[in-house]
Amino acid sequence: MRTIILAIFCVLCLGLSLDALSLNGQRTWRANRKEAAAAPRGEKLLKRVRRGWMWNQFFLQEEYTGSDYQYIGKLQSDQDHGNGLVKYVLSGEGAGTIFVIDENNGDLHATRRLDREEKAFYILKATVVNKRTGQKLEPETEFIIKLHDINDNEPHFSQEVYTGTVPERSDIGTSVIQVTATDADDGMYGNSAKLVYSISQGHPYFSVDPNTGVIRTALGPGDMDREQRENYQVVIEAKDMAGQRGGLTGTTMVNITLTDVNDNPPRFTQSIYQFRVPESSKSGTPVGRIRAADKDVGKNAEMYFTIVSGDGLDTFDIFTDKATQEGVITVSKPLDYEKKPSYTVEIQVQNTQIDPRFMSAGSKDMATVRIAVEDEDEPPLFDKDSYLMEVKEDAAVGTALGSVSAIDPDGARSIVKYAIDRRTDMDHLFNVHPENGSVFLLKSLDREEAAWHNISVIAIELRKSVGGGCLQKNVYSKSALNVPQYNSRQSSHVSVFIHLLDVNDNAPTFATVYETFVCERTKAGQRIQTVSAVDADEPSAGHKFFFSLAPEGTYRSNFTIRDNGDSTASILTRRASYSRLQQSMYLVPVVITDGDFPMQSSTGTLTVRVCTCDREGNMELCNAQPLSSAPGLSTGALIAILLCAIILLMIVVLFTALKRQRKQEPLIISKEDVRDNVVSYNDEGGGEEDTQAFDIGALRHPQSTAILEESTKQRRDIIPTDTLLYAPYRQHGSCSSGLVLDNDCNPTAPPYDSLATYAYEGAGSVAESLSSLGSMSSEADQDYQYLSDWGPRFRKLADLYGAEDSDFS
């Protein structure tokens, strides 16, 4: 009903507007006609132009709902005399589709319903033409059709749902959020787009500004408590027509959350807490957790705990678990049930961040914590964390170095035995008395080998017997890791550091090997060397050495010693001339004595070589043994060079031998068998005695061979050594001279011929064959004097074969 009334009201307003515009248009057109008529002929009017149209602007109501075309207005030209010769033509936006014109009378209509929010106005053009000729009677004129707005759009908010926050306990009027709505209607005319905001849900907590849409708190700090209510839903309305009746309305939802402020202190969930902890707990072991509740959240609920009083103030500690905000009590010092079985402490809790608007600095809570210590069977406890013992290095075996002491901390006070952890004393240098803990020596010590020894002593509780409750008899074992009567689970270790004190038991020696020389021409009292000494001992006051000549070198000495008083000495010449040819080297015995007690001394021999020097005293020539400081190659370098030369020479000889071996001819050239057994050698060998060949004759005469073996018990192919060293005594005159004949006449020789073929014998040799096997008769006398003409190589052979038989008798 309101919509119908609004439409009638708009139509009336539109009609009045059209009449006024029509009257205004007619007046304008008539005024133009009068001005044109009053103007002088031939004079142009600059300010006004003749207009033949009665309309230049039309108005049309949007959202027309009628069934017929909506009438807009009438176009009329002064060229239209009503005789039907004028034709109206329309062009421009929507011409012919949205807008149509009656070409005979100029009536303008809209063919459909239009929406101003889609398009607010249209620009069209119209002209008048002669129907017969088609010529334009008027120039084309532009006009506008505007749409009149009606309130057909409701307000729309920019968001369907808004989210806002405001701190709890805020003052009245605190801004929360601003909502904004828009209206598509024309805001230039009327109140169709003028909006007013109101709250329809959310009273009495919030309010909204009707003009700006700003939502504010409506209650005081005491009523806006997050812990009581945290979330609120507020419905906001936006109404057009300035909120008047008949206006359209849009709504939106606003979710408002109260944010937390630190307005609540933490409170313990209980006033007394009780915990138990074993006495063997190490430092940092958790004892228990206590909890405090805080209604606030986030950083406002963070808290910290402190131990403020009680007898366990220094024994326990507490920290806050950041994940759970719980207080964790831990052990800070060792516990001892026998000394103190229980503790009571007072613990305080408060927020880490305090808001002074709501809480004072004294917003704290207190709780009592009782901690009971549980008794446990503890291992023995040494009276020290470690022990330091000192002993002189010359202490005798069995000397006591010190003692360790441990007791059973339990109330039972079990007997404690001691042993050495042999893993720390593999050489068995020390031992400990199992009863009183006295540490003593098992072997002699030497500070110069090791000045410190670190061992570990074990204290073990003695087990009790199962039957009568008596202690078992202790049988001490050298192995600390294999003591069956000890409870290995109830044992403890302690470190014992043993420092060996120095005793002056080492004699000083020369600091280095000195290579000293003296010039042949020198001066008496000339310093030729400065010597110093070293000592393996370490006296507390530092080393002090004294030097002197040994008694055997004092008399008739060619050199003297001067002690410099700073643990060094100078070797001085005693005369002005030395001769390298007469004596090239002198030995100077030097006695070195230390200054500690008991005094130790040693005699060092200084070797002084006599050398030829230049005028400046620089050495030029010494004896055969070179000095390392002299110019040239050292002894080591010369030896290395000599070894390299020997190795190279051996390589050359080896290659030469291999090359010659490749060039040798085969040992047996002829294929004829000259005897039963032929032994071939690859080298010269040692002659007939150097054969290991197989004896074919032994196969042909097995019986004689067996008889001979039984008589001689010797190998038939081996000649006795004495027959090779000495020429045999020939008893038969038929045996002539010559090595082959001697072999034949030797009764100990094998009863067969043996031919030894050498690499340089036979047809390949310039001396031809030397064997008697190839001659006509081995008994005939031959002249071997031609062998002397072959050169020195065959001279001995010529002497051997050219000798008479009497030479061998």
Side-chain angles (χ1 to χ4, degrees), residues 153 359 541 566 670:
N153 291 279
M359 290 192 304
D566 57 353
S670 177

Side-chain angles (χ1 to χ4, degrees), residues 574-809:
R574 204 166 185 179
R575 49 194 177 91
S577 177
Y578 297 88
S579 176
R580 185 171 60 88
L581 299 178
Q582 293 180 359
Q583 187 172 351
S584 62
M585 182 177 63
Y586 294 91
L587 299 178
V588 182
V590 179
V591 177
I592 310 173
T593 307
D594 58 19
D596 203 359
F597 180 84
M599 187 175 293
Q600 300 287 342
S601 64
S602 66
T603 301
T605 302
L606 185 67
T607 302
V608 181
R609 304 184 186 279
V610 181
C611 302
T612 302
C613 305
D614 57 12
R615 293 181 179 180
E616 287 75 17
N618 298 320
M619 179 182 61
E620 291 182 345
L621 181 62
C622 285
N623 54 351
Q625 298 182 5
L627 296 174
S628 61
S629 60
L633 295 176
S634 63
T635 304
L638 292 175
I639 294 174
I641 294 174
L642 182 60
L643 289 176
C644 293
I646 293 174
I647 293 173
L648 290 176
L649 182 60
M650 292 176 63
I651 293 174
V652 172
V653 172
L654 179 61
F655 274 101
T656 304
L658 292 175
K659 186 175 181 182
R660 291 183 60 185
Q661 185 177 1
R662 292 173 183 172
K663 292 183 178 181
Q664 292 176 0
E665 295 182 358
L667 297 177
I668 301 177
I669 300 175
S670 177
K671 297 182 180 179
E672 297 180 359
D673 227 356
V674 298
R675 65 183 180 92
D676 293 339
N677 186 19
V678 178
V679 180
S680 300
Y681 293 89
N682 292 330
D683 52 5
E684 232 175 54
E688 292 183 355
E689 70 180 24
D690 193 20
T691 175
Q692 297 291 334
F694 183 75
D695 188 0
I696 299 179
L699 296 177
R700 295 177 179 177
H701 305 284
Q703 296 178 356
S704 60
T705 303
I707 295 172
L708 183 61
E709 287 180 353
E710 287 293 329
S711 61
T712 61
K713 300 296 182 179
Q714 296 179 353
R715 288 180 56 183
R716 297 175 59 83
D717 56 344
I718 299 299
I719 301 175
T721 307
D722 55 353
T723 62
L724 299 177
L725 296 177
Y726 307 100
Y729 178 76
R730 294 176 294 177
Q731 297 178 356
H732 304 281
S734 61
C735 295
S736 59
S737 62
L739 288 177
V740 177
L741 296 179
D742 291 342
N743 191 48
D744 292 339
C745 297
N746 190 350
T748 61
Y752 55 86
D753 292 335
S754 179
L755 174 63
T757 304
Y758 296 92
Y760 295 96
E761 258 184 45
S765 175
V766 295
E768 298 181 355
S769 178
L770 300 179
S771 175
S772 62
L773 297 177
S775 61
M776 296 299 297
S777 174
S778 61
E779 300 295 336
D781 295 335
Q782 297 184 17
D783 186 9
Y784 296 102
Q785 296 299 326
Y786 64 90
L787 295 176
S788 301
D789 301 333
W790 289 355
R793 294 184 179 181
F794 295 92
R795 186 170 299 164
K796 291 184 178 181
L797 190 61
D799 295 340
L800 180 63
Y801 281 90
E804 297 294 337
D805 294 342
S806 59
D807 296 338
F808 299 96
S809 58

Side-chain angles (χ1 to χ4, degrees), residues 313-606:
L313 186 62
D314 298 331
T315 308
F316 300 95
D317 198 0
I318 188 170
F319 68 92
T320 303
D321 186 342
K322 299 299 182 181
T324 62
Q325 293 299 314
E326 293 177 329
V328 182
I329 303 174
T330 60
V331 177
S332 61
K333 287 186 178 181
L335 303 176
D336 191 350
Y337 171 82
E338 287 72 26
K339 292 182 179 180
K340 190 169 181 59
S342 64
Y343 296 87
T344 301
V345 294
E346 296 291 330
I347 296 181
Q348 174 183 282
V349 63
Q350 61 182 352
N351 286 126
T352 57
Q353 298 180 358
I354 298 177
D355 193 338
R357 297 176 301 172
F358 310 107
M359 290 192 304
S360 62
S363 300
K364 306 172 184 178
D365 197 17
M366 302 289 292
T368 301
V369 178
R370 296 173 181 172
I371 303 173
V373 180
E374 295 178 345
D375 186 24
E376 288 187 346
D377 187 12
E378 301 175 84
L381 180 64
F382 285 95
D383 59 354
K384 294 181 181 180
D385 294 333
S386 63
Y387 293 86
L388 174 62
M389 300 180 183
E390 294 182 342
V391 62
K392 290 186 177 182
E393 61 176 321
D394 61 348
V397 173
T399 301
L401 313 181
S403 62
V404 298
S405 177
I407 61 172
D408 181 13
D410 298 322
R413 299 297 188 210
S414 301
I415 297 177
V416 177
K417 298 295 182 179
Y418 304 95
I420 297 290
D421 187 349
R422 289 305 173 191
R423 292 174 298 183
T424 63
D425 184 22
M426 302 294 291
D427 297 329
H428 290 250
L429 301 177
F430 308 95
N431 207 346
V432 62
H433 194 282
E435 303 292 340
N436 57 25
S438 177
V439 180
F440 56 91
L441 292 179
L442 286 179
K443 295 180 181 180
S444 299
L445 304 177
D446 187 0
R447 189 202 65 85
E448 285 68 39
E449 292 182 2
W452 285 90
H453 295 273
N454 302 333
I455 64 174
S456 180
V457 177
I458 309 174
I460 311 172
E461 291 183 11
L462 194 63
R463 287 181 178 178
K464 296 180 181 180
S465 62
V466 179
C470 299
L471 296 176
Q472 293 181 356
K473 182 178 180 181
N474 174 32
V475 180
Y476 175 69
S477 173
K478 292 184 178 179
S479 176
L481 302 179
N482 187 17
V483 187
Q485 64 272 22
Y486 293 164
N487 186 352
S488 60
R489 292 175 299 176
Q490 299 302 328
S491 63
S492 57
H493 294 66
V494 70
S495 297
V496 179
F497 304 100
I498 301 173
H499 182 210
L500 298 186
L501 302 178
D502 186 39
V503 174
N504 192 25
D505 56 350
N506 292 276
T509 59
F510 278 128
T512 184
V513 178
Y514 295 99
E515 296 179 346
T516 308
F517 72 94
V518 62
C519 297
E520 289 183 314
R521 293 183 180 181
T522 183
K523 297 179 182 180
Q526 178 72 34
R527 180 174 58 85
I528 62 173
Q529 183 70 61
T530 301
V531 295
S532 61
V534 293
D535 194 337
D537 296 321
E538 292 183 358
S540 58
H543 288 291
K544 181 66 175 178
F545 301 113
F546 304 95
F547 301 86
S548 62
L549 280 177
E552 61 270 17
T554 304
Y555 302 100
R556 297 181 182 180
S557 176
N558 295 284
F559 302 93
T560 184
I561 294 179
R562 182 181 66 197
D563 196 319
N564 297 326
D566 57 353
S567 296
T568 63
S570 299
I571 309 299
L572 307 176
T573 59
R574 204 166 185 179
R575 49 194 177 91
S577 177
Y578 297 88
S579 176
R580 185 171 60 88
L581 299 178
Q582 293 180 359
Q583 187 172 351
S584 62
M585 182 177 63
Y586 294 91
L587 299 178
V588 182
V590 179
V591 177
I592 310 173
T593 307
D594 58 19
D596 203 359
F597 180 84
M599 187 175 293
Q600 300 287 342
S601 64
S602 66
T603 301
T605 302
L606 185 67

